[in-house]
Amino acid sequence: MRVDDDRTRVMGARIRHFRSRAGLTLADLAEQLGTTASTLSLVENGKRAVRAPEMPGIAAALGVDVVDLLSEDPPDARSALELELARLQSGPQFGALGVPAVRISRTLPHDALAALVRTLQELDRKALEATATPEEARRANTELRRWMRGQDNHLPAIEAAAEEIVAVAGHEVGALTHREVALMAEHLGFRLLHVDDLPRSTRTITDLEQGRIYLPPSSIPGGNGLRSMALQAMAHRVLDHTPPSSYEEFLRQRLEIAYFAACCLMPERQATDFLTDAKQRRDLAVEDFRDAFGVTHEQAALRMTNLLTAHHGVRVHFLRVGADGEIHKAYENDDLPIPTDVTGAVEGQIVCRKWVARRAGHRGNRTTENHQYTDTVGGTFWSSTQTGSGPHGAFSITFGVGFDDAKWFRGRATRQRQVSTCPDESCCTRPPAGLADRWAEAAWPSARMHTQVLAALPSGRFPGVDDTEVFEFLERHAAMD
Ligand SMILES: [Zn+2]
């Protein structure tokens, strides 16, 4: 609707532009076209659309080609401002003001027009900022996650765009090198520059005019974070992104650039070949895939969610969980019962204590993955978890599948098995009765404030305090005395 309105306005402006260039009045042109001046005026003001059969006649009368009418560019700077004002005045932000719209005419002074456009653009931008509240962000995020689930987390158009650019760099197998990333950037007309004074609120900045992508300095020589960051910056150009007009669009662009970077680092054909081979040998493992492409465990696990359903028919789950059991990121299309809040958001929800995503943290072994079968209310699942630690604390990365698909994975023979009855509180959120009887009256913990803003607080008598952990702690230490 909006797009059609914009097109109608641009075409009207182009017709007026060509008419005055041809030295014709409204009445002159109307007569030639066998219509009235008032109808033609509606067309020029973007209030009436030109139908396709009318176009050749209009173009001929103006001495231009039909393609000149169809161009989506405003005919000149003045028209560009007028069109932008018309667009802004027809938008919801302006409507909400209850201020009468300014009549757009040639008599409106240029500087007043420019100031008005700038002011209304700023109003739109402020409104966009204001809608990006945590609630709005969560809602938009949930929508996007549901949409991706419907696509089996696979976006063929971005896969194809990445494949094309990776071929330009001559990349064949293994890890994409910094040199190849630089070649890809060069092909797109960019130079990669490392600087140490990027604003705190930015990861990268692209100078579209000078063709430069500014990246932070490489803190770890050869660290692969920068390849991904450079690829994400380039992706905005490759994927034809324009400044986002809503928070949803902002999130979708973020998802798309991350997806594009993953496609470049683990190209579809090479990655699929690798996974096909491993699956045939019944030896699929995130760690092997990770090492073959020189990426992080998280990048590898996420990439497997992009490919395993679409190309290998295996439905999967992925979780990134923090030290307190809070979900940072989650994806499933295998029906793993991931906890959600009432809005359907998963971020900050606490996963079951019985899941390997939380149990792996206690083992402290990061050289290999931890495997486990978990019986849940949604069926039995096999999962593989790797733990790590970052600037925001410890976390675990879990990748898994339903019981029937475990046979393709290394670690399927694990004897580790847990029963989870979550969301039933007696599963793991309510302290065991024996411990509660023993310690409820005697325990007085002091809560540590959470850094994860989105994290839901464990419920207990003290907000933010996990009673079970407190009671177990007291029990352990009481036994030592
Ligand atoms: Zn549980």
Side-chain angles (χ1 to χ4, degrees):
M1 171 75 195
R2 272 282 292 282
V3 175
D4 285 351
D5 287 354
D6 288 348
R7 285 214 183 104
T8 303
R9 283 194 209 102
V10 174
M11 189 180 291
R14 293 186 70 84
I15 290 172
R16 177 160 53 214
H17 172 78
F18 293 132
R19 176 175 61 75
S20 33
R21 203 178 61 180
L24 298 168
T25 63
L26 264 179
D28 295 338
L29 183 59
E31 194 188 328
Q32 282 194 49
L33 297 173
T35 181
T36 62
S38 58
T39 305
L40 192 57
S41 173
L42 287 176
V43 169
E44 289 191 355
N45 288 319
K47 301 230 165 66
R48 180 183 172 284
V50 176
R51 283 173 292 129
E54 301 170 328
M55 288 179 195
I58 297 174
L62 295 170
V64 297
D65 292 324
V66 171
V67 288
D68 293 323
L69 297 183
L70 287 170
S71 164
E72 289 181 17
D73 298 327
D76 52 40
R78 168 81 191 191
S79 302
L81 279 175
E82 290 181 358
L83 289 164
E84 180 64 357
L85 181 59
R87 188 187 70 79
L88 289 162
Q89 289 194 147
S90 68
Q93 300 312 328
F94 187 80
L97 290 178
V99 172
V102 171
R103 206 174 76 81
I104 301 166
S105 75
R106 294 276 132 171
T107 56
L108 188 61
H110 186 86
D111 52 354
L113 176 63
L116 199 50
V117 164
R118 186 76 195 85
T119 307
L120 293 181
Q121 281 173 338
E122 190 61 13
L123 190 68
D124 265 12
R125 197 187 62 79
K126 286 260 161 62
L128 175 62
E129 252 176 27
T131 54
T133 57
E135 293 74 30
E136 183 71 13
R138 285 167 76 85
R139 195 190 56 71
N141 210 26
T142 300
E143 281 301 305
L144 196 55
R145 199 165 41 76
R146 286 195 179 130
W147 181 77
M148 282 303 283
R149 190 184 194 273
Q151 313 293 314
D152 284 333
N153 226 19
H154 187 252
L155 302 175
I158 297 181
E159 298 281 355
E163 185 156 6
E164 207 181 303
I165 186 98
V166 166
V168 165
H171 179 66
E172 274 302 322
V173 286
L176 191 69
T177 65
H178 283 85
R179 168 87 186 128
E180 287 165 336
V181 172
L183 283 173
M184 288 159 66
E186 202 176 288
H187 174 73
L188 293 169
F190 290 113
R191 234 158 27 98
L192 304 179
L193 294 169
H194 296 275
V195 294
D196 55 11
D197 59 346
L198 277 172
R200 271 177 57 85
S201 59
T202 61
R203 298 188 302 176
T204 64
I205 294 180
T206 302
D207 177 343
L208 294 169
E209 215 175 87
Q210 309 279 324
R212 293 174 177 177
I213 295 175
Y214 294 101
L215 299 158
S218 170
S219 51
I220 308 161
N224 76 35
L226 288 173
R227 284 181 305 164
S228 181
M229 235 188 275
L231 291 166
Q232 294 194 35
M234 284 181 234
H236 285 299
R237 166 61 65 89
V238 176
L239 302 174
D240 281 334
H241 285 167
T242 51
S245 61
S246 65
Y247 194 73
E248 282 85 347
E249 196 180 349
F250 167 75
L251 281 184
R252 177 167 308 214
Q253 289 185 355
R254 289 294 286 239
L255 181 145
E256 288 183 353
I257 61 172
Y259 194 102
F260 176 84
C263 292
C264 292
L265 293 169
M266 296 157 274
E268 190 169 35
R269 189 176 49 78
Q270 289 96 310
T272 307
D273 287 350
F274 183 95
L275 295 173
T276 302
D277 179 58
K279 187 180 171 217
Q280 271 165 2
R281 290 182 286 107
R282 300 195 170 213
D283 200 27
L284 277 170
V286 176
E287 57 190 6
D288 290 357
F289 186 65
R290 171 196 72 198
D291 296 342
F293 289 91
V295 294
T296 66
H297 200 82
E298 181 172 3
Q299 286 172 327
L302 273 173
R303 187 65 176 139
M304 284 168 71
T305 69
N306 300 149
L307 300 172
L308 276 178
T309 309
H311 291 293
H312 307 274
V314 177
R315 306 182 82 79
V316 299
H317 63 260
F318 165 90
L319 292 162
R320 182 190 154 109
V321 170
D324 296 323
E326 79 282 14
I327 296 175
H328 298 164
K329 280 184 213 165
Y331 170 80
E332 60 74 28
N333 66 354
D334 62 359
D335 298 326
L336 177 75
I338 293 175
T340 61
D341 70 8
V342 286
T343 69
V346 297
E347 293 78 11
Q349 293 295 297
I350 306 289
V351 302
C352 179
R353 203 183 289 271
K354 309 284 180 65
W355 290 12
V356 63
R358 288 189 69 182
R359 295 176 51 81
H362 302 306
R363 298 195 195 119
N365 177 358
R366 289 181 184 166
T367 53
T368 55
E369 298 175 38
N370 298 279
H371 307 112
Q372 177 180 307
Y373 285 96
T374 312
D375 298 322
T376 75
V377 294
T380 299
F381 295 85
W382 174 90
S383 305
S384 161
T385 293
Q386 177 66 270
T387 56
S389 53
H392 302 294
F395 62 89
S396 70
I397 303 294
T398 298
F399 181 87
V401 292
F403 181 85
D404 290 345
D405 280 318
K407 58 179 181 252
W408 309 116
F409 290 82
R410 186 186 311 155
R412 62 185 173 275
T414 181
R415 305 176 79 101
Q416 183 77 29
R417 189 160 191 149
Q418 290 285 323
V419 177
S420 158
T421 57
C422 268
D424 172 6
E425 288 190 353
S426 67
C427 171
C428 65
T429 47
R430 204 186 302 145
L435 275 182
D437 287 348
R438 168 71 183 87
W439 290 108
E441 298 300 317
W444 193 277
S446 174
R448 175 169 56 83
M449 295 311 280
H450 281 247
T451 45
Q452 281 287 334
V453 190
L454 288 177
L457 298 172
S459 56
R461 299 157 313 138
F462 297 86
V465 170
D466 186 321
D467 275 341
T468 306
E469 281 183 355
V470 170
F471 297 164
E472 282 174 354
F473 168 87
L474 291 170
E475 188 79 3
R476 260 196 322 277
H477 285 266
M480 285 176 195
D481 296 334

